[in-house]
């Protein structure tokens, strides 16, 4: 039996995302060249999808020639994570640090209150 070579369709856009009817899953509508595709992902499927995307990004980063050195990445070029997605304890001095972290070919723009938290997040994402 032959293994067919994948022939992926280019994603033209993410039309919308919304909670599924029971609120326990996530729904997303993807725009493809030949129509829309609606997906429903529970927690496990969402984690597996994100893991697969991160692994794919890690695998292709060595072949990318368009990535600037991480030190030259502007914060505005990174993916903005909403503050509610991270719990960090404020430092006594109240000063937050901004940094860009690269995971695979994806630049994340973060505002972190401590270097320890930033390192822990980096280790968790690349583990």
């Amino acid at each position: 039996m032959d293994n067919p070579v994948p022939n992926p369709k280019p994603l033209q856009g993410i039309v919308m995302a919304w909670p599924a009817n029971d609120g326990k899953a996530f729904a997303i509508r993807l725009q493809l060249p030949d129509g829309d595709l609606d997906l429903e992902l529970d927690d496990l499927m969402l984690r597996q999808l994100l893991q697969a995307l991160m692994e794919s990004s890690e695998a292709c980063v060595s072949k990318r020639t368009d990535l600037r050195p991480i030190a030259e990445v502007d914060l505005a070029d990174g993916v903005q994570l909403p503050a509610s997605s991270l719990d960090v304890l404020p430092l006594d001095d109240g000063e937050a640090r901004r940094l860009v972290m690269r995971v695979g070919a994806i630049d994340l723009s973060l505002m972190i209150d401590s270097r320890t938290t930033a390192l822990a997040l980096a280790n968790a994402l690349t583990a």
Side-chain angles (χ1 to χ4, degrees), residues 29-81:
R29 177 168 291 160
L30 305 177
Q31 187 178 29
L32 303 174
D34 55 357
D36 291 346
L37 174 65
D38 291 343
L39 299 176
E40 184 175 289
L41 306 163
D42 61 14
D43 289 348
L44 177 61
M45 289 292 108
L46 181 61
R47 279 196 296 268
Q48 288 180 345
L49 174 62
L50 293 173
Q51 182 67 37
L53 290 172
M54 297 302 277
E55 288 173 4
S56 175
S57 178
E58 285 286 348
C60 75
V61 72
S62 62
K63 299 176 185 175
R64 297 276 301 265
T65 58
D66 59 333
L67 294 176
R68 291 177 289 176
I70 188 69
E72 296 175 15
V73 173
D74 190 315
L75 286 172
D77 295 336
V79 176
Q80 301 293 321
L81 296 179

Side-chain angles (χ1 to χ4, degrees), residues 4-24:
V5 176
N7 186 17
K9 299 173 184 173
L11 179 63
Q12 293 183 320
I14 299 174
V15 180
M16 62 187 297
W18 66 98
N21 291 337
D22 61 2
K24 296 179 182 176

Side-chain angles (χ1 to χ4, degrees), residues 84-99:
S84 61
S85 66
L86 297 173
D87 260 341
V88 292
L89 298 173
L91 298 174
D92 289 339
D93 61 7
E95 182 181 332
R97 294 189 181 97
R98 292 183 177 276
L99 63 112

Side-chain angles (χ1 to χ4, degrees), residues 51 54 58 81 101 103 108 110 118-127:
Q51 182 67 37
M54 297 302 277
E58 285 286 348
L81 296 179
M101 180 176 64
V103 180
L108 301 174
L110 306 173
L119 289 173
L121 178 61
N123 288 335
L125 286 171
T126 56

